Amino acid sequence: MARTTKEVGSVVEALKDLEDGACIMVSGFGLSGNPEALIEGVLAGGKRGLTLISNNAGSIGEGLATWLRAGIVARVICSYVGNNEDLQRAMDDGTVEVQITPQGTFVERMRAAGAGIPAFYTPTGVGTLMAKGKETRIFDGRSFLLEHALHADFALIRAHRADPFGNVRFYRTSQNFAPAMASAARITVVEAEEVVDLGDIDADDVHLPGAFVQRVVHVPEHRDLIEIRTTRSAGT
Amino acid sequence: MARTTKEVGSVVEALKDLEDGACIMVSGFGLSGNPEALIEGVLAGGKRGLTLISNNAGSIGEGLATWLRAGIVARVICSYVGNNEDLQRAMDDGTVEVQITPQGTFVERMRAAGAGIPAFYTPTGVGTLMAKGKETRIFDGRSFLLEHALHADFALIRAHRADPFGNVRFYRTSQNFAPAMASAARITVVEAEEVVDLGDIDADDVHLPGAFVQRVVHVPEHRDLIEIRTTRSAGT
Amino acid sequence: MAHRAAQEIAPGSVVNLGIGLPTLVADVLPPDADVWLQSENGLLGMGPFPHEGEEDPQLINAGKQTVTLVPGASTFDSATSFAMIRGGHVDLAIMGAMQVAPNGDLANWSVPGGRTIGVGGAMDLAAGARRLVVVMRHQARDGSHKLVTTCTYPLTALGVVSRIITELGVFDPAEHHFSVVELAPGVTLGEVEARTGAPTR
Amino acid sequence: MAHRAAQEIAPGSVVNLGIGLPTLVADVLPPDADVWLQSENGLLGMGPFPHEGEEDPQLINAGKQTVTLVPGASTFDSATSFAMIRGGHVDLAIMGAMQVAPNGDLANWSVPGGRTIGVGGAMDLAAGARRLVVVMRHQARDGSHKLVTTCTYPLTALGVVSRIITELGVFDPAEHHFSVVELAPGVTLGEVEARTGAPTR
């Protein structure tokens, strides 16, 4: 009996049931570690009114900023806008509703969603604008905010290596939000640089077990833009 | 400039400031993956009135059951008693206060402590004896229990490999509660089968980063008792 | 029962087998079955028991039995394991039970007046698995009912059981009665009614 | 300032450096310094910038700069990274600031009426690091005070700042005033008082 594979033949197939108004989590930190083909695939798919959950929502016109430029995003949940001019413009225009969340709360809300935790208390944001409308509660004399789980329809994540069950290895700082997003979404699609056979990743070396993954698509080549290229001078 | 090492020369040194009445987390599942030398070290140290936080608190007279036999434990927080006759006896005698917690809640409470989360809601145990005295709250029409972070003075964990900063790799199912315990304790002591140089564990292969570890002790040999030896017949 | 329970497993699904009768389900699965067995101590892709001499003391299941890994297995910590369970990433849990009620309530961890053996991961699995199937003897050894109107033993979780498989047949909790899905060969509805502590139809 | 800030780092400690002035602290540390730099995007053991041609697009810090790893570095996911931060496993955070008050309140993420740039990990770091040291210019470019009686800019966290290092000296919040720990060479207490928007002694 052959095992069911989660590998699909194309980005189009991986995104086949993504609908208008879908809520989509996308991993990556700025333009680093982006699931580039899946990002392009959503853009090409032409669906609109999307909720985008991503730490930066693209940058310098690239990556997820192309979704903003195309006007297919209705709402963004992120932690940082920074040099993302497209997001700034969309906020100023009022064409996109933007919810800014502290980065640790952002990821913990997704981790909670994936772990069956509907809500948790955190010290982050107490006494700040982030506390607006939120329950504050004291434990052991210190104040905490109640934060709720953050779910999504899709999570699009980038992997270094995946197998047909969806076991994943990440590379360096590309891991970032991917495991939490994978756990929080109904359908997690992995864009893998390499797809290997079952057993090629040792059990102790799996970063994200296949139970959290629904689809795998093999994308060997990436642009991997460097946003801020910093180097040291020769000799140091 | 040499880097500060967390490796200590002996179990005695690793446990030097463990006091009477200390709250101690110990990783392992039954007798599998036990930090055997540290368990013996605490027993030899003669401290009493301990609170022991461990999934099984030993078994068949071995491992942590030796603490129960020696009468040095005042309180146990665990998820499973099973065939631990010493724990059964201590409960029946009333000499040890035993708090039984669902295993997922048990580990999530430690994970929360280590992550700065004072409390969280869980679906586990709603409507059962575990809900006694706990707040129940409804989110999206479903009931959840409020559970609190579980901290400790010490975590004693078993590792396959560690480096002098305390970066750790686990082997197979010995990982279990160790990362959550390491994060939840003030002082985490790692009993490592191997101690390697900084850099010998690739950054992407670290299971538990050194920030969660305070001391490392090298213990190359373990008994590694098998509690339930199950095998298949030849030819299958 | 084990064979019937195995039919509940959809291809490619993630399944947790409880201690006791449910463990037997693993034995009736073909060696290359399209299923991923999860063990709550931190293992996905549990294989058969090891050959003698190949036992690894650091590779066990939640019943503390020595096991093996299938290709594609992964090991992880308990927090991740229960995130997987509570978060709905385990498709099916197959568990034993002491009592089940038509409203789906489950009691399977403690007998009033009995020794405390602890709850382990049962409450988390019952609350978190996407689907929960109970495999058990239809009645207790002393003849008392296990399919009951209301659970009198300490509960494990409320309204979680989807299906019960016993030596008499297959039954689904249907709020106020048990719905008979299948009868075992030679078993009559009258026999089931006589041996069940709640309405059955 | 960067040199002075570097003195706050205890041997072997885990330190997170914020964007801006604090980044300069890394530059004054010796290459083999006994410190573990944490970056909240999921990196512990951040090394210096790479040599030209050795940049790895998938190895960046939270400022999105290309970086390297020191031996003993580890990479991990953001949930673990912020567990590390919020759970008190980062010994020291060094951050820039717009305003600091004597009660330890910190404002460093948003200017009223300015563009929204987002908060990133600043609130988590401020709330979670065991010790928080601010490195900043003593006054804003327009001459307005940054050491103030009460923060008027949107807050990052309440009562979290342990120490402030500016070009004029080192100051500790002391509830109702700033306590002068050190003055920079040639700086007088009178000068500090004139350029500080809260009592200083």
Side-chain angles (χ1 to χ4, degrees):
Chain A
M1 194 190 301
R3 283 192 180 270
T4 305
T5 179
K6 294 178 184 173
E7 191 177 357
V8 297
S10 69
V11 165
V12 170
E13 196 182 338
L15 301 172
K16 61 180 181 222
D17 43 8
L18 193 149
E19 303 288 350
D20 281 343
C23 178
I24 311 176
M25 294 171 169
V26 186
S27 72
F29 202 91
L31 301 179
S32 183
N34 279 199
E36 298 177 2
L38 292 170
I39 290 173
E40 282 177 37
V42 171
L43 188 63
K47 302 299 179 199
R48 311 182 68 82
L50 306 176
T51 292
L52 169 59
I53 301 175
S54 165
N55 189 58
N56 312 71
S59 193
I60 55 172
E62 298 280 353
L64 292 164
T66 60
W67 293 14
L68 297 164
R69 290 188 172 189
I72 63 173
V73 177
R75 193 159 159 257
V76 170
I77 303 177
C78 67
S79 91
Y80 198 72
V81 180
N83 57 346
N84 187 340
E85 296 290 339
D86 299 284
L87 187 55
Q88 283 284 2
R89 198 173 307 118
M91 285 169 75
D92 294 347
D93 296 352
T95 49
V96 177
E97 179 200 332
V98 179
Q99 187 188 115
I100 291 174
T101 306
Q103 199 172 131
T105 300
F106 176 77
V107 68
E108 188 67 14
R109 289 179 63 197
M110 297 189 278
R111 193 260 171 199
I117 307 283
F120 60 91
Y121 290 93
T122 178
T124 303
V126 169
T128 76
L129 290 176
M130 299 297 165
K132 221 168 95 180
K134 286 177 192 155
E135 176 188 316
T136 300
R137 184 159 169 172
I138 294 171
F139 295 96
D140 280 334
R142 189 177 176 197
S143 293
F144 297 87
L145 294 186
L146 183 68
E147 294 280 358
H148 291 79
L150 185 59
H151 295 266
D153 299 312
F154 278 79
L156 311 182
I157 69 172
R158 164 81 171 269
H160 181 53
R161 191 172 288 144
D163 71 22
F165 178 46
N167 289 311
V168 164
R169 291 260 311 161
F170 300 102
Y171 174 70
R172 300 305 186 220
T173 55
S174 287
Q175 183 164 1
N176 57 69
F177 304 93
M181 288 176 169
S183 75
R186 201 164 43 79
I187 298 172
T188 292
V189 185
V190 172
E191 173 172 335
E193 295 163 29
E194 273 182 51
V195 177
V196 297
D197 289 336
L198 289 178
D200 282 357
I201 307 176
D202 184 84
D204 292 350
D205 290 337
V206 171
H207 287 147
L208 177 70
F212 296 107
V213 170
Q214 280 67 48
R215 295 172 196 165
V216 174
V217 58
H218 183 205
V219 179
E221 298 291 334
H222 290 84
R223 292 170 70 203
D224 282 330
L225 296 177
I226 292 179
E227 239 178 290
I228 304 179
R229 186 181 300 271
T230 41
T231 56
R232 60 184 131 166
S233 45
T236 63
Chain B
M1 195 191 302
R3 284 191 180 271
T4 306
T5 179
K6 294 178 184 173
E7 192 177 357
V8 297
S10 69
V11 165
V12 170
E13 197 182 338
L15 300 172
K16 63 181 179 216
D17 42 8
L18 192 150
E19 303 288 349
D20 282 342
C23 177
I24 310 176
M25 293 171 169
V26 186
S27 73
F29 201 91
L31 302 178
S32 182
N34 280 199
E36 298 177 2
L38 292 170
I39 291 173
E40 283 177 36
V42 171
L43 187 64
K47 301 302 179 197
R48 312 181 67 82
L50 306 175
T51 291
L52 169 59
I53 300 175
S54 166
N55 189 58
N56 313 70
S59 192
I60 57 171
E62 297 281 353
L64 292 164
T66 61
W67 293 14
L68 296 164
R69 290 189 173 190
I72 63 173
V73 177
R75 192 160 159 256
V76 171
I77 303 178
C78 67
S79 91
Y80 198 71
V81 179
N83 57 346
N84 187 340
E85 296 290 339
D86 299 283
L87 186 55
Q88 283 283 4
R89 199 172 307 119
M91 284 170 75
D92 294 347
D93 295 352
T95 50
V96 176
E97 180 200 331
V98 179
Q99 187 187 118
I100 290 174
T101 305
Q103 200 171 130
T105 300
F106 176 77
V107 69
E108 188 68 14
R109 288 179 63 198
M110 298 190 277
R111 194 259 170 199
I117 307 285
F120 60 90
Y121 290 93
T122 177
T124 304
V126 169
T128 75
L129 290 176
M130 298 298 165
K132 221 167 95 179
K134 286 176 192 154
E135 177 188 317
T136 301
R137 184 159 168 173
I138 294 171
F139 295 96
D140 280 334
R142 189 175 176 200
S143 293
F144 296 88
L145 294 185
L146 182 68
E147 294 281 357
H148 291 78
L150 184 60
H151 295 266
D153 299 312
F154 278 79
L156 311 182
I157 70 173
R158 164 80 172 269
H160 180 53
R161 191 172 287 145
D163 72 22
F165 177 46
N167 289 312
V168 164
R169 292 260 311 163
F170 299 102
Y171 175 71
R172 300 306 188 219
T173 54
S174 287
Q175 182 163 359
N176 56 69
F177 305 93
M181 289 177 169
S183 75
R186 202 164 42 78
I187 298 172
T188 292
V189 185
V190 172
E191 173 173 334
E193 295 164 29
E194 274 182 50
V195 177
V196 298
D197 289 336
L198 288 178
D200 283 357
I201 308 176
D202 183 85
D204 292 350
D205 291 337
V206 171
H207 287 146
L208 178 70
F212 296 106
V213 169
Q214 280 67 48
R215 294 171 196 166
V216 174
V217 59
H218 184 205
V219 179
E221 299 291 334
H222 290 84
R223 292 169 71 202
D224 282 330
L225 297 176
I226 292 178
E227 240 178 287
I228 304 179
R229 185 182 301 270
T230 41
T231 55
R232 62 184 131 165
S233 44
T236 62
Chain C
M1 277 186 278
H3 279 97
R4 182 58 189 79
Q7 293 172 28
E8 297 290 321
I9 300 173
S13 59
V14 172
V15 178
N16 184 293
L17 301 177
I19 298 171
L21 271 183
T23 305
L24 302 177
V25 176
D27 298 339
V28 305
L29 292 171
D32 60 346
D34 185 16
V35 55
W36 297 92
L37 297 178
Q38 202 259 16
S39 191
E40 64 265 31
N41 56 319
L43 170 57
L44 178 59
M46 181 171 67
F49 296 139
H51 289 293
E52 211 170 304
E54 290 173 8
E55 308 92 332
D56 183 338
Q58 294 191 74
L59 179 52
I60 61 169
N61 66 16
K64 304 190 202 169
Q65 297 171 309
T66 45
V67 295
T68 57
L69 302 174
V70 300
S74 56
T75 53
F76 34 85
D77 81 305
S78 301
T80 301
S81 185
F82 282 94
M84 194 181 283
I85 288 167
R86 245 187 351 249
H89 309 283
V90 170
D91 300 301
L92 174 67
I94 302 181
M95 287 185 154
M98 295 165 180
Q99 291 183 331
V100 183
N103 63 358
D105 285 2
L106 171 70
N108 74 350
W109 73 283
S110 176
V111 181
R115 304 205 81 175
T116 305
I117 63 155
V119 65
M123 285 189 182
D124 304 282
L125 279 157
R130 297 184 82 81
R131 182 173 156 84
L132 175 59
V133 170
V134 163
V135 179
M136 65 176 191
R137 295 266 151 214
H138 204 84
Q139 287 165 287
R141 273 189 204 137
D142 67 1
S144 62
H145 292 137
K146 298 181 71 169
L147 289 145
V148 294
T149 306
T150 306
C151 294
T152 54
Y153 287 2
L155 290 170
T156 303
L158 306 181
V160 292
V161 177
S162 290
R163 177 155 287 185
I164 305 122
I165 298 171
T166 78
E167 73 277 20
L168 300 191
V170 179
F171 311 92
D172 285 356
E175 200 53 40
H176 299 290
H177 70 281
F178 288 103
S179 170
V180 180
V181 179
E182 290 168 26
L183 291 176
V187 173
T188 64
L189 190 56
E191 185 183 352
V192 167
E193 281 173 349
R195 294 175 61 183
T196 302
T200 307
R201 64 176 188 262
Chain D
M1 277 187 278
H3 280 97
R4 183 58 189 79
Q7 293 171 29
E8 298 290 322
I9 299 173
S13 58
V14 172
V15 179
N16 183 293
L17 301 177
I19 298 171
L21 270 183
T23 306
L24 302 177
V25 176
D27 298 338
V28 305
L29 292 171
D32 61 346
D34 186 15
V35 55
W36 296 93
L37 296 179
Q38 203 257 15
S39 192
E40 64 266 30
N41 55 319
L43 170 57
L44 179 58
M46 181 170 66
F49 296 140
H51 291 293
E52 210 171 306
E54 291 174 5
E55 308 91 332
D56 183 338
Q58 294 191 73
L59 179 52
I60 61 169
N61 66 16
K64 306 190 203 168
Q65 298 170 308
T66 45
V67 295
T68 57
L69 303 174
V70 299
S74 55
T75 52
F76 34 85
D77 82 304
S78 301
T80 302
S81 186
F82 282 94
M84 195 181 282
I85 287 167
R86 243 184 354 245
H89 309 283
V90 171
D91 299 301
L92 175 67
I94 301 181
M95 288 184 153
M98 295 165 180
Q99 292 183 329
V100 183
N103 63 357
D105 284 2
L106 171 70
N108 74 350
W109 73 282
S110 176
V111 181
R115 304 204 82 174
T116 305
I117 63 156
V119 65
M123 286 191 182
D124 304 282
L125 280 156
R130 299 184 82 79
R131 184 172 155 82
L132 176 58
V133 170
V134 163
V135 179
M136 64 177 192
R137 296 267 152 212
H138 204 85
Q139 288 166 288
R141 275 190 201 136
D142 67 359
S144 63
H145 292 139
K146 298 182 71 169
L147 290 145
V148 293
T149 307
T150 305
C151 294
T152 54
Y153 287 3
L155 289 170
T156 304
L158 306 182
V160 291
V161 177
S162 291
R163 177 156 288 185
I164 305 121
I165 298 171
T166 78
E167 74 278 19
L168 299 191
V170 179
F171 311 91
D172 286 357
E175 198 53 41
H176 298 292
H177 70 283
F178 289 103
S179 170
V180 179
V181 180
E182 289 167 27
L183 291 175
V187 173
T188 64
L189 191 55
E191 186 182 352
V192 167
E193 282 172 349
R195 295 175 61 184
T196 303
T200 308
R201 63 176 187 262

